[in-house]
Short mmCIF file of all heavy atoms in Angstrom, two decimals:
data_model
loop_
_atom_site.label_atom_id
_atom_site.label_comp_id
_atom_site.label_asym_id
_atom_site.label_seq_id
_atom_site.Cartn_x
_atom_site.Cartn_y
_atom_site.Cartn_z
N ARG A 241 -5.85 -26.21 -15.02
CA ARG A 241 -4.94 -25.08 -15.13
C ARG A 241 -5.79 -23.80 -15.19
O ARG A 241 -6.78 -23.76 -15.94
CB ARG A 241 -4.04 -25.12 -16.32
CG ARG A 241 -3.00 -24.03 -16.35
CD ARG A 241 -2.11 -24.10 -17.57
NE ARG A 241 -1.79 -25.48 -17.96
CZ ARG A 241 -1.07 -26.31 -17.33
NH1 ARG A 241 -0.54 -25.97 -16.19
NH2 ARG A 241 -0.81 -27.49 -17.77
N GLU B 190 6.20 -29.90 -18.52
CA GLU B 190 5.34 -30.52 -19.56
C GLU B 190 5.24 -29.57 -20.74
O GLU B 190 5.45 -28.34 -20.59
CB GLU B 190 4.00 -30.78 -19.00
CG GLU B 190 3.23 -29.59 -18.49
CD GLU B 190 1.83 -29.93 -18.00
OE1 GLU B 190 1.00 -30.36 -18.81
OE2 GLU B 190 1.52 -29.64 -16.83
N LYS B 191 5.05 -30.12 -21.90
CA LYS B 191 4.87 -29.34 -23.11
C LYS B 191 3.54 -28.72 -23.17
O LYS B 191 2.53 -29.33 -22.73
CB LYS B 191 5.03 -30.28 -24.34
CG LYS B 191 6.47 -30.62 -24.61
CD LYS B 191 7.21 -29.41 -25.29
CE LYS B 191 8.72 -29.70 -25.35
NZ LYS B 191 9.49 -28.44 -25.63
N LEU B 192 3.44 -27.50 -23.70
CA LEU B 192 2.19 -26.81 -23.89
C LEU B 192 1.93 -26.51 -25.36
O LEU B 192 2.87 -26.47 -26.14
CB LEU B 192 2.21 -25.48 -23.12
CG LEU B 192 2.51 -25.62 -21.57
CD1 LEU B 192 2.56 -24.22 -20.97
CD2 LEU B 192 1.43 -26.42 -20.93
N ASP B 193 0.70 -26.45 -25.74
CA ASP B 193 0.32 -26.18 -27.14
C ASP B 193 0.51 -24.72 -27.40
O ASP B 193 0.07 -23.88 -26.75
CB ASP B 193 -1.14 -26.61 -27.36
CG ASP B 193 -1.57 -26.24 -28.78
OD1 ASP B 193 -1.37 -27.23 -29.60
OD2 ASP B 193 -2.01 -25.20 -29.08
N LYS B 194 1.30 -24.45 -28.48
CA LYS B 194 1.71 -23.07 -28.79
C LYS B 194 0.46 -22.16 -29.07
O LYS B 194 0.42 -21.07 -28.54
CB LYS B 194 2.65 -23.07 -29.97
CG LYS B 194 3.13 -21.64 -30.35
CD LYS B 194 4.41 -21.65 -31.07
CE LYS B 194 4.31 -22.25 -32.50
NZ LYS B 194 5.41 -21.97 -33.36
N ARG B 195 -0.44 -22.63 -29.84
CA ARG B 195 -1.55 -21.69 -30.17
C ARG B 195 -2.50 -21.51 -29.04
O ARG B 195 -2.87 -20.40 -28.82
CB ARG B 195 -2.31 -22.37 -31.33
CG ARG B 195 -1.64 -22.10 -32.71
CD ARG B 195 -2.32 -22.86 -33.78
NE ARG B 195 -2.09 -24.27 -33.67
CZ ARG B 195 -2.41 -25.16 -34.63
NH1 ARG B 195 -2.99 -24.73 -35.73
NH2 ARG B 195 -2.21 -26.46 -34.42
N ASN B 196 -2.75 -22.57 -28.23
CA ASN B 196 -3.58 -22.38 -27.12
C ASN B 196 -2.90 -21.48 -26.06
O ASN B 196 -3.55 -20.60 -25.44
CB ASN B 196 -4.02 -23.75 -26.46
CG ASN B 196 -4.88 -24.53 -27.39
OD1 ASN B 196 -5.48 -23.99 -28.19
ND2 ASN B 196 -4.84 -25.85 -27.16
N PHE B 197 -1.66 -21.69 -25.89
CA PHE B 197 -0.87 -20.86 -24.95
C PHE B 197 -0.96 -19.37 -25.31
O PHE B 197 -1.30 -18.53 -24.50
CB PHE B 197 0.57 -21.27 -24.91
CG PHE B 197 1.40 -20.44 -23.87
CD1 PHE B 197 1.46 -20.86 -22.61
CD2 PHE B 197 2.15 -19.36 -24.32
CE1 PHE B 197 2.18 -20.12 -21.68
CE2 PHE B 197 2.88 -18.64 -23.45
CZ PHE B 197 2.93 -19.04 -22.11
N ARG B 199 -3.11 -17.83 -27.32
CA ARG B 199 -4.47 -17.33 -27.23
C ARG B 199 -4.89 -16.97 -25.80
O ARG B 199 -5.37 -15.88 -25.50
CB ARG B 199 -5.49 -18.37 -27.80
CG ARG B 199 -6.86 -17.95 -27.67
CD ARG B 199 -7.83 -18.63 -28.67
NE ARG B 199 -7.22 -19.65 -29.39
CZ ARG B 199 -7.20 -20.94 -29.08
NH1 ARG B 199 -7.82 -21.30 -27.95
NH2 ARG B 199 -6.64 -21.84 -29.86
N ARG B 200 -4.49 -17.88 -24.86
CA ARG B 200 -4.92 -17.61 -23.49
C ARG B 200 -4.10 -16.43 -22.85
O ARG B 200 -4.69 -15.63 -22.12
CB ARG B 200 -4.78 -18.83 -22.66
CG ARG B 200 -5.86 -19.79 -22.96
CD ARG B 200 -5.90 -20.90 -21.94
NE ARG B 200 -4.79 -21.83 -22.10
CZ ARG B 200 -4.70 -22.97 -21.54
NH1 ARG B 200 -5.66 -23.40 -20.75
NH2 ARG B 200 -3.64 -23.76 -21.64
P DG C 16 -5.50 -15.64 -37.69
OP1 DG C 16 -5.71 -14.37 -38.47
OP2 DG C 16 -5.81 -15.60 -36.24
"O5'" DG C 16 -6.44 -16.72 -38.37
"C5'" DG C 16 -6.27 -18.07 -37.90
"C4'" DG C 16 -7.29 -18.97 -38.53
"O4'" DG C 16 -7.12 -20.29 -37.96
"C3'" DG C 16 -8.76 -18.63 -38.19
"O3'" DG C 16 -9.66 -19.13 -39.13
"C2'" DG C 16 -8.90 -19.31 -36.83
"C1'" DG C 16 -8.11 -20.55 -36.92
N9 DG C 16 -7.26 -20.86 -35.71
C8 DG C 16 -6.79 -20.06 -34.75
N7 DG C 16 -6.13 -20.57 -33.83
C5 DG C 16 -6.28 -21.93 -34.09
C6 DG C 16 -5.76 -23.05 -33.42
O6 DG C 16 -5.14 -23.12 -32.33
N1 DG C 16 -6.11 -24.32 -34.07
C2 DG C 16 -6.83 -24.34 -35.26
N2 DG C 16 -6.97 -25.54 -35.75
N3 DG C 16 -7.23 -23.30 -35.89
C4 DG C 16 -6.95 -22.14 -35.28
P DT C 17 -11.20 -19.23 -38.87
OP1 DT C 17 -11.91 -19.06 -40.09
OP2 DT C 17 -11.62 -18.42 -37.71
"O5'" DT C 17 -11.34 -20.79 -38.44
"C5'" DT C 17 -10.79 -21.76 -39.29
"C4'" DT C 17 -11.29 -23.17 -38.85
"O4'" DT C 17 -10.48 -23.59 -37.75
"C3'" DT C 17 -12.75 -23.20 -38.39
"O3'" DT C 17 -13.30 -24.40 -38.90
"C2'" DT C 17 -12.59 -23.22 -36.88
"C1'" DT C 17 -11.34 -24.03 -36.66
N1 DT C 17 -10.69 -23.83 -35.40
C2 DT C 17 -10.23 -24.95 -34.72
O2 DT C 17 -10.30 -26.10 -35.09
N3 DT C 17 -9.58 -24.64 -33.47
C4 DT C 17 -9.42 -23.38 -32.99
O4 DT C 17 -8.85 -23.25 -31.90
C5 DT C 17 -9.89 -22.31 -33.74
C7 DT C 17 -9.77 -20.87 -33.19
C6 DT C 17 -10.52 -22.55 -34.89
P DT C 18 -14.86 -24.74 -38.68
OP1 DT C 18 -15.53 -25.00 -39.96
OP2 DT C 18 -15.39 -23.63 -37.78
"O5'" DT C 18 -14.74 -26.04 -37.87
"C5'" DT C 18 -13.75 -27.02 -38.23
"C4'" DT C 18 -13.72 -28.09 -37.12
"O4'" DT C 18 -12.97 -27.57 -36.01
"C3'" DT C 18 -15.07 -28.52 -36.60
"O3'" DT C 18 -15.17 -29.92 -36.52
"C2'" DT C 18 -15.15 -27.82 -35.28
"C1'" DT C 18 -13.69 -27.81 -34.84
N1 DT C 18 -13.32 -26.82 -33.79
C2 DT C 18 -12.56 -27.26 -32.71
O2 DT C 18 -12.16 -28.36 -32.61
N3 DT C 18 -12.23 -26.21 -31.83
C4 DT C 18 -12.56 -24.90 -31.93
O4 DT C 18 -12.27 -24.11 -31.06
C5 DT C 18 -13.40 -24.55 -33.07
C7 DT C 18 -13.89 -23.11 -33.22
C6 DT C 18 -13.72 -25.55 -33.93
P DA C 19 -16.34 -30.65 -35.96
OP1 DA C 19 -16.53 -31.90 -36.82
OP2 DA C 19 -17.46 -29.71 -35.76
"O5'" DA C 19 -15.86 -31.12 -34.52
"C5'" DA C 19 -14.74 -32.02 -34.34
"C4'" DA C 19 -14.65 -32.44 -32.95
"O4'" DA C 19 -14.35 -31.23 -32.18
"C3'" DA C 19 -15.91 -32.92 -32.30
"O3'" DA C 19 -15.56 -33.91 -31.35
"C2'" DA C 19 -16.56 -31.68 -31.70
"C1'" DA C 19 -15.31 -30.98 -31.17
N9 DA C 19 -15.43 -29.56 -31.02
C8 DA C 19 -16.17 -28.63 -31.73
N7 DA C 19 -16.07 -27.41 -31.34
C5 DA C 19 -15.21 -27.48 -30.24
C6 DA C 19 -14.75 -26.49 -29.41
N6 DA C 19 -14.99 -25.21 -29.47
N1 DA C 19 -13.93 -26.94 -28.43
C2 DA C 19 -13.63 -28.24 -28.28
N3 DA C 19 -14.03 -29.24 -29.05
C4 DA C 19 -14.84 -28.77 -30.07
P DT C 20 -16.68 -34.86 -30.71
OP1 DT C 20 -16.48 -36.24 -31.25
OP2 DT C 20 -18.03 -34.15 -30.82
"O5'" DT C 20 -16.29 -34.92 -29.21
"C5'" DT C 20 -14.97 -34.58 -28.78
"C4'" DT C 20 -14.97 -33.83 -27.43
"O4'" DT C 20 -15.23 -32.45 -27.61
"C3'" DT C 20 -16.13 -34.40 -26.44
"O3'" DT C 20 -15.55 -34.92 -25.31
"C2'" DT C 20 -16.98 -33.09 -26.21
"C1'" DT C 20 -15.98 -31.98 -26.54
N1 DT C 20 -16.56 -30.63 -26.99
C2 DT C 20 -16.19 -29.50 -26.25
O2 DT C 20 -15.34 -29.55 -25.36
N3 DT C 20 -16.76 -28.37 -26.74
C4 DT C 20 -17.72 -28.22 -27.72
O4 DT C 20 -18.18 -27.18 -28.05
C5 DT C 20 -18.09 -29.51 -28.32
C7 DT C 20 -19.16 -29.52 -29.46
C6 DT C 20 -17.49 -30.64 -27.89
P DT D 19 -10.63 -22.10 -20.07
OP1 DT D 19 -10.07 -22.17 -18.71
OP2 DT D 19 -10.22 -20.99 -20.97
"O5'" DT D 19 -10.42 -23.48 -20.76
"C5'" DT D 19 -11.19 -24.58 -20.13
"C4'" DT D 19 -10.83 -25.83 -20.97
"O4'" DT D 19 -11.65 -25.84 -22.18
"C3'" DT D 19 -9.43 -25.96 -21.46
"O3'" DT D 19 -8.94 -27.24 -20.99
"C2'" DT D 19 -9.43 -25.79 -22.91
"C1'" DT D 19 -10.86 -26.24 -23.29
N1 DT D 19 -11.47 -25.56 -24.46
C2 DT D 19 -12.14 -26.37 -25.36
O2 DT D 19 -12.31 -27.58 -25.22
N3 DT D 19 -12.68 -25.67 -26.43
C4 DT D 19 -12.66 -24.31 -26.64
O4 DT D 19 -13.19 -23.78 -27.65
C5 DT D 19 -11.91 -23.53 -25.63
C7 DT D 19 -11.79 -22.10 -25.86
C6 DT D 19 -11.38 -24.22 -24.65
P DA D 20 -7.41 -27.73 -21.31
OP1 DA D 20 -7.05 -28.69 -20.38
OP2 DA D 20 -6.61 -26.61 -21.63
"O5'" DA D 20 -7.63 -28.48 -22.77
"C5'" DA D 20 -8.53 -29.63 -22.74
"C4'" DA D 20 -8.41 -30.30 -24.10
"O4'" DA D 20 -9.07 -29.49 -25.08
"C3'" DA D 20 -6.99 -30.53 -24.56
"O3'" DA D 20 -6.92 -31.82 -25.12
"C2'" DA D 20 -6.80 -29.41 -25.58
"C1'" DA D 20 -8.15 -29.27 -26.16
N9 DA D 20 -8.48 -27.90 -26.63
C8 DA D 20 -8.04 -26.70 -26.04
N7 DA D 20 -8.49 -25.61 -26.66
C5 DA D 20 -9.28 -26.14 -27.67
C6 DA D 20 -10.04 -25.52 -28.67
N6 DA D 20 -10.08 -24.22 -28.84
N1 DA D 20 -10.76 -26.27 -29.55
C2 DA D 20 -10.60 -27.65 -29.37
N3 DA D 20 -9.99 -28.31 -28.48
C4 DA D 20 -9.31 -27.52 -27.62
P DA D 21 -5.44 -32.42 -25.48
OP1 DA D 21 -5.31 -33.66 -24.72
OP2 DA D 21 -4.40 -31.37 -25.30
"O5'" DA D 21 -5.58 -32.75 -27.06
"C5'" DA D 21 -6.84 -33.26 -27.54
"C4'" DA D 21 -6.85 -33.00 -28.99
"O4'" DA D 21 -7.32 -31.66 -29.30
"C3'" DA D 21 -5.55 -33.09 -29.76
"O3'" DA D 21 -5.65 -34.05 -30.78
"C2'" DA D 21 -5.22 -31.74 -30.24
"C1'" DA D 21 -6.58 -31.09 -30.31
N9 DA D 21 -6.63 -29.66 -30.19
C8 DA D 21 -5.95 -28.84 -29.29
N7 DA D 21 -6.18 -27.58 -29.33
C5 DA D 21 -7.01 -27.53 -30.40
C6 DA D 21 -7.65 -26.40 -31.01
N6 DA D 21 -7.46 -25.14 -30.64
N1 DA D 21 -8.50 -26.66 -32.07
C2 DA D 21 -8.69 -27.87 -32.45
N3 DA D 21 -8.13 -28.98 -31.98
C4 DA D 21 -7.35 -28.74 -30.94
P DC D 22 -4.30 -34.61 -31.49
OP1 DC D 22 -4.57 -36.01 -31.93
OP2 DC D 22 -3.11 -34.27 -30.66
"O5'" DC D 22 -4.21 -33.70 -32.77
"C5'" DC D 22 -5.33 -33.59 -33.63
"C4'" DC D 22 -5.16 -32.43 -34.59
"O4'" DC D 22 -5.45 -31.23 -33.94
"C3'" DC D 22 -3.71 -32.30 -35.09
"O3'" DC D 22 -3.61 -32.42 -36.49
"C2'" DC D 22 -3.29 -30.95 -34.64
"C1'" DC D 22 -4.69 -30.22 -34.51
N1 DC D 22 -4.54 -29.01 -33.64
C2 DC D 22 -5.35 -27.89 -33.93
O2 DC D 22 -6.02 -27.93 -34.98
N3 DC D 22 -5.29 -26.83 -33.18
C4 DC D 22 -4.40 -26.85 -32.19
N4 DC D 22 -4.37 -25.66 -31.44
C5 DC D 22 -3.68 -27.97 -31.79
C6 DC D 22 -3.76 -29.01 -32.56
P DA D 23 -2.07 -32.58 -37.14
OP1 DA D 23 -1.78 -34.02 -37.25
OP2 DA D 23 -1.18 -31.67 -36.45
"O5'" DA D 23 -2.39 -32.01 -38.60
"C5'" DA D 23 -3.28 -30.92 -38.70
"C4'" DA D 23 -2.83 -29.90 -39.74
"O4'" DA D 23 -2.35 -28.71 -38.98
"C3'" DA D 23 -1.57 -30.37 -40.57
"O3'" DA D 23 -1.81 -29.85 -41.90
"C2'" DA D 23 -0.38 -29.68 -39.89
"C1'" DA D 23 -1.04 -28.38 -39.46
N9 DA D 23 -0.37 -27.73 -38.42
C8 DA D 23 0.50 -28.28 -37.46
N7 DA D 23 0.90 -27.36 -36.56
C5 DA D 23 0.41 -26.20 -36.97
C6 DA D 23 0.48 -24.85 -36.43
N6 DA D 23 1.26 -24.50 -35.36
N1 DA D 23 -0.24 -23.86 -37.16
C2 DA D 23 -0.93 -24.25 -38.22
N3 DA D 23 -1.10 -25.45 -38.74
C4 DA D 23 -0.41 -26.35 -38.10
#
Side-chain angles (χ1 to χ4, degrees):
Chain A
R241 185 180 327 291
Chain B
E190 59 179 299
K191 283 284 171 195
L192 303 175
D193 180 89
K194 183 158 65 166
R195 281 172 291 189
N196 292 338
F197 181 84
R199 177 159 4 96
R200 284 193 291 193

